[in-house]
C-alpha cells in the first residue's frame, strides 16, 4: 500500500463566467454559420459549467493561430502552473522537493522534449537524479492512472516519495472554424488547470499516522471496439477532439464489472464506498456512472461541484475532485473509489481507504 499525503490544484487567472467564454468562442468556432453558433450556445448552456479558468485572457484567443504557437504557449505558461500545483502539494505534505524520488507527469494538451517535468526539477529544487516518467495520451484518465502507477512504483520502493503532476491547458487546443459537434461540445466543457499529489511508500516515516487516504489497489481496462469514441486527431491545426455521443452508453454498459470486481477482490460492495472521486467528464458521463453503479445522486456531488466551478480539467479533473473531497472530510477507515475515463476507451479505477487520521 501507499499513502497520499497531500493533493493541490492550481488554476490560471480569474474564473470566467461560462456566458463570457461562449461569447468569445462562438465566432471563433462557428464563424458565420449561425446554425452552428446557435447549437454551440445551447451546448454551452447545457453542460452544467458555470465558470472556467483559461490560461490566456479571453481576448487573446482570436489571435492564437496554429499548433506551433499554441504549443509554445503551453510550454511557456503551463510549466509555471504545473510548478505552482507541485509546490503547493509538497508544502501541504511537508515534504522538501529534494526528497522526491519519482516524478510522474501526465498531460494530453501539449507536448515537449524535454518534457515539462524536466523543467520542474530545476524550478522546484528536486535532485538531479530524480526518476522521471512523462506520459502522454492517457487523456482524462491520466490523473487516476498516474495515481495507480505511482502506487505500483511505491509497492516496490516502499521508502520512496513520489510526486504526481498533471497539467492541462485545454483552451489552447480550440479548433478555429471547426463546427463539428464534438468541437462545439469541447469548447464549452473543458477548462485549464494543473494538479499534483504527493504519495509515499508504506515504509516512509511520513506514512505512519498520515491523515490522507491509503491507496489499496487499482484496475485498468480497455473496452474493445471503442478506439474511435474518444481521443485526438492530430494534424497541422493541432489537437482536434474525437468525442462520440455514444461514450456515455459505453460507460453505462461496461463500467460495473470493473468497479465491482475490484471491490469484491477486497471484500467490498458499492454500498460500502463512502466517497466516489469521479472525474468530472460532463453531466452525461456522471449520469452514466450513477446509472451503471446504481449510485444515489448525492454520491457524485463533489464531481458535479468541480464541473460547475472549473469545467472538465481532463487528467487534472479527478485530482481536483480528490482535493475537494479531502478538504470536505472523509469517514475514517472507510473505502473510497477514484474513477476516470480516457482514450481507448479506457477506464482507470483506484481503491482507497480513508485513514483513521482523516
Amino acid at each position: 500500500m501507499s499513502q497520499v499525503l497531500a493533493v493541490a490544484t492550481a488554476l490560471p487567472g480569474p474564473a470566467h463566467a461560462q456566458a463570457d467564454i461562449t461569447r468569445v468562442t462562438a465566432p471563433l468556432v462557428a464563424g458565420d454559420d449561425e446554425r452552428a453558433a446557435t447549437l454551440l450556445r445551447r451546448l454551452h448552456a447545457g453542460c452544467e459549467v458555470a465558470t472556467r479558468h483559461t490560461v490566456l485572457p479571453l481576448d487573446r484567443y482570436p489571435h492564437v493561430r496554429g499548433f506551433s504557437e499554441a504549443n509554445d504557449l503551453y510550454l511557456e505558461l503551463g510549466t509555471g502552473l504545473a510548478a505552482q500545483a507541485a509546490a503547493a502539494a509538497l508544502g501541504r505534505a511537508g515534504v522538501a522537493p529534494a526528497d522526491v524520488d519519482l516524478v510522474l507527469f501526465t498531460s494530453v494538451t501539449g507536448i515537449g522534449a524535454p518534457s515539462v517535468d524536466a523543467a520542474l526539477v530545476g524550478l522546484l529544487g528536486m535532485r538531479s537524479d530524480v526518476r522521471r516518467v512523462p506520459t502522454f495520451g492517457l487523456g482524462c484518465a491520466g490523473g487516476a492512472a498516474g495515481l495507480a502507477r505511482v502506487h505500483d512504483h511505491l509497492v516496490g520502493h516502499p521508502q520512496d516519495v513520489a510526486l504526481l503532476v498533471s497539467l492541462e491547458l485545454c483552451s489552447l487546443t480550440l479548433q478555429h472554424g471547426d463546427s463539428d459537434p464534438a468541437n462545439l461540445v469541447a469548447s464549452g466543457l473543458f477548462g485549464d488547470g494543473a494538479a499534483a499529489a504527493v504519495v509515499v511508500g508504506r515504509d516512509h516515516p511520513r506514512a505512519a499516522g498520515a491523515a490522507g487516504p491509503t491507496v489499496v489497489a487499482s484496475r485498468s481496462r480497455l473496452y474493445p471496439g471503442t478506439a474511435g469514441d474518444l481521443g485526438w486527431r492530430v494534424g497541422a491545426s493541432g489537437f482536434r477532439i474525437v468525442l462520440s455521443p455514444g461514450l456515455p452508453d459505453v460507460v453505462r454498459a461496461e463500467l460495473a464489472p470493473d468497479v465491482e470486481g475490484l471491490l469484491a477482490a477486497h471484500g467490498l460492495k458499492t454500498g460500502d464506498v463512502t466517497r466516489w472521486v469521479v472525474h468530472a467528464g460532463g453531466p452525461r458521463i456522471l449520469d452514466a456512472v450513477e446509472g451503471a453503479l446504481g449510485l444515489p445522486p448525492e454520491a457524485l456531488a463533489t464531481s458535479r461541484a468541480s464541473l460547475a466551478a472549473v469545467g472538465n480539467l481532463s487528467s487534472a479533473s479527478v485530482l481536483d475532485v480528490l482535493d475537494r473531497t479531502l478538504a470536505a472530510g472523509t469517514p475514517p477507515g472507510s473505502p473510497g473509489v477514484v474513477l476516470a475515463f480516457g482514450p481507448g476507451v479506457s477506464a482507470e479505477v483506484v481503491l482507497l481507504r480513508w485513514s483513521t487520521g482523516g
Side-chain angles (χ1 to χ4, degrees):
M1 293 190 292
S2 59
Q3 186 75 39
V4 179
L5 296 185
V7 182
T9 303
L11 301 165
H16 300 293
Q18 178 80 326
D20 292 334
I21 297 175
T22 301
R23 176 178 49 79
V24 171
T25 303
L28 298 181
V29 174
D32 296 329
D33 187 342
E34 185 53 39
R35 183 176 179 182
T38 299
L39 178 58
L40 178 145
R41 287 189 286 266
R42 181 170 65 80
L43 291 170
H44 281 212
C47 65
E48 299 182 10
V49 175
T51 56
R52 283 183 283 162
H53 294 253
T54 59
V55 73
L56 296 175
L58 293 181
D59 60 6
R60 284 279 305 277
Y61 285 94
H63 309 291
V64 178
R65 296 286 182 176
F67 175 57
S68 179
E69 182 180 358
N71 200 65
D72 285 348
L73 288 167
Y74 166 87
L75 293 171
E76 174 190 349
L77 302 176
T79 301
L81 190 66
Q84 182 182 336
L90 289 166
R92 289 181 183 181
V95 171
D99 292 333
V100 174
D101 301 293
L102 172 76
V103 180
L104 192 154
F105 175 72
T106 186
S107 183
V108 76
T109 51
I111 195 163
S115 47
V116 168
D117 52 290
L120 295 182
V121 174
L123 285 172
L124 297 175
M126 290 184 277
R127 303 190 314 269
S128 61
D129 67 345
V130 67
R131 292 179 176 90
R132 297 186 298 110
V133 182
T135 70
F136 179 89
L138 292 167
C140 296
L147 186 61
R149 300 295 80 78
V150 159
H151 169 71
D152 292 341
H153 171 85
L154 293 171
V155 168
H157 301 81
Q159 294 183 327
D160 276 9
V161 176
L163 175 65
L164 167 63
V165 183
S166 164
L167 169 67
E168 302 293 7
L169 302 185
C170 303
S171 67
L172 295 177
T173 69
L174 182 71
Q175 298 294 294
H176 293 217
D178 181 359
S179 58
D180 182 84
N183 192 45
L184 301 184
V185 171
S187 70
L189 183 61
F190 289 94
D192 293 349
V198 180
V199 191
V200 297
R202 65 182 179 184
D203 293 342
H204 190 276
R206 294 298 308 278
T214 297
V215 181
V216 178
S218 68
R219 177 169 291 193
S220 301
R221 177 79 187 279
L222 278 168
Y223 300 128
T226 64
D229 288 343
L230 180 63
W232 292 130
R233 288 195 183 97
V234 183
S237 64
F239 300 127
R240 185 181 182 209
I241 195 163
V242 176
L243 183 60
S244 167
L247 182 59
D249 295 331
V250 174
V251 172
R252 196 173 287 107
E254 302 285 355
L255 178 63
D258 297 311
V259 174
E260 292 169 358
L262 179 61
L263 291 173
H266 296 272
L268 299 167
K269 298 180 179 180
T270 55
D272 299 319
V273 176
T274 62
R275 294 293 184 271
W276 293 92
V277 183
V278 179
H279 129 250
R284 294 185 65 216
I285 293 295
L286 294 176
D287 289 346
V289 171
E290 287 179 357
L293 301 178
L295 303 180
E298 63 270 17
L300 303 188
T302 305
S303 296
R304 294 187 187 276
S306 175
L307 179 65
V310 299
N312 180 352
L313 299 179
S314 190
S315 69
S317 172
V318 77
L319 297 177
D320 181 66
V321 177
L322 181 57
D323 186 14
R324 293 168 185 266
T325 300
L326 296 176
T330 54
S334 62
V337 169
V338 177
L339 175 61
F341 307 97
V345 169
S346 62
E348 294 287 340
V349 189
V350 182
L351 176 61
L352 305 178
R353 175 74 66 176
W354 303 120
S355 167
T356 54

